[in-house]
Amino acid sequence: SWPPFWTDECEAAFLELKRLAAPAVSLHTPDFEGASRGENDFHLHLDACNYGVGAGLFQAPASATKEILSGPYWVLRVTPWCTQAELNQAYQEAKLQLVRLGSKQLKVQSLEDSWALVSTVERRKAYDEQVGLRDRKAGRALLRPLGFWSRSLSRVQMNWTVWERELLAAVEGLMSFGPIVTGSRVVLHTDHLN
């Protein structure tokens, strides 16, 4: 008993959309071993609007991390699909950390060698092509969903600034996924620069 406007054509289109959407949101099992060893970070994608906040927890499949474990992306602690700005920031932070720790020359040289391979867009493209990452580096598309969380905002929270709502999404998203991510590195992704 469909509403009068709902035709057989509408029903067929709806069922087709359902069939296409279902695999896109099937949840996967976390790679706890890779996460605990620091080889496969969790990624928490946050969002906030005027009425609600939400987060999605993602992680690369365990098999996807094996190719980068000894390469420059691993040394710099970034993913192959990170932006050039994230890569530059990771290099600067790693350099500072090595200086603070008074690390051995071998570690400093490893960092410098890794940086030399991916320091510019051209070098990075060449490196990715050489090791076969170019065609498989799909950015966020490579990450698999582990879970989603969202909630509506209270009237008071609706008056908060965008960055306050994004921060709320980060705090509550981490609390929601706490049993999964506790003790592991979590990379937060937001679409706001604030």
Side-chain angles (χ1 to χ4, degrees), residues 2 11 16 31 43 66 70 73 79 110 122 127 140 165 171-172 189 192:
W2 298 330
E11 182 67 13
E16 178 64 12
D31 173 20
H43 296 263
K66 289 186 172 91
S70 59
Y73 296 113
T79 59
S110 174
E122 295 77 27
Y127 172 79
R140 268 178 30 184
R165 292 191 303 258
V171 169
E172 291 192 7
H189 301 269
H192 293 281

Side-chain angles (χ1 to χ4, degrees), residues 84 117-128:
Q84 195 66 33
L117 286 172
V118 294
S119 60
T120 66
V121 173
E122 295 77 27
R123 287 180 179 178
R124 190 173 173 185
K125 281 181 183 174
Y127 172 79
D128 289 349

Side-chain angles (χ1 to χ4, degrees), residues 59-96:
Q59 189 180 39
S63 60
T65 61
K66 289 186 172 91
E67 299 83 17
I68 61 169
L69 289 183
S70 59
Y73 296 113
W74 169 248
V75 173
L76 293 164
R77 303 278 297 149
V78 294
T79 59
W81 56 85
C82 72
T83 65
Q84 195 66 33
E86 289 171 324
L87 193 61
N88 295 341
Q89 182 180 358
Y91 170 68
Q92 295 302 327
E93 288 173 2
K95 211 159 102 175
L96 269 174

Side-chain angles (χ1 to χ4, degrees), residues 23-194:
V25 293
S26 61
L27 301 180
H28 297 269
T29 307
D31 173 20
F32 289 116
E33 286 183 32
S36 67
R37 289 191 307 264
E39 298 169 358
N40 196 0
D41 297 332
F42 290 107
H43 296 263
L44 190 64
H45 289 266
L46 313 164
D47 206 4
C49 68
N50 293 334
Y51 307 102
V53 291
L57 183 64
F58 298 84
Q59 189 180 39
S63 60
T65 61
K66 289 186 172 91
E67 299 83 17
I68 61 169
L69 289 183
S70 59
Y73 296 113
W74 169 248
V75 173
L76 293 164
R77 303 278 297 149
V78 294
T79 59
W81 56 85
C82 72
T83 65
Q84 195 66 33
E86 289 171 324
L87 193 61
N88 295 341
Q89 182 180 358
Y91 170 68
Q92 295 302 327
E93 288 173 2
K95 211 159 102 175
L96 269 174
Q97 189 175 10
L98 288 178
V99 169
R100 267 190 237 130
L101 297 173
S103 290
K104 296 178 182 168
Q105 187 61 29
L106 183 62
K107 285 187 176 181
V108 173
Q109 190 59 49
S110 174
L111 177 67
E112 294 299 330
D113 291 347
S114 295
W115 176 244
L117 286 172
V118 294
S119 60
T120 66
V121 173
E122 295 77 27
R123 287 180 179 178
R124 190 173 173 185
K125 281 181 183 174
Y127 172 79
D128 289 349
E129 178 106 26
Q130 179 186 354
V131 297
L133 279 174
R134 187 176 151 259
D135 296 329
R136 296 181 343 190
K137 196 165 82 169
R140 268 178 30 184
L142 177 65
L143 298 177
R144 292 181 174 174
L146 306 179
F148 298 97
W149 164 86
S150 67
R151 77 166 181 84
S152 297
L153 295 172
S154 70
R155 288 204 181 276
V156 172
Q157 291 167 334
M158 287 181 191
N159 294 322
W160 290 3
T161 62
V162 173
W163 68 268
E164 288 172 316
R165 292 191 303 258
E166 288 275 333
L167 184 57
L168 177 66
V171 169
E172 291 192 7
L174 286 169
M175 287 171 50
S176 176
F177 295 115
I180 297 173
V181 302
T182 299
S184 299
R185 182 174 162 192
V186 180
V187 180
L188 301 179
H189 301 269
T190 179
D191 56 359
H192 293 281
L193 297 175
N194 296 334

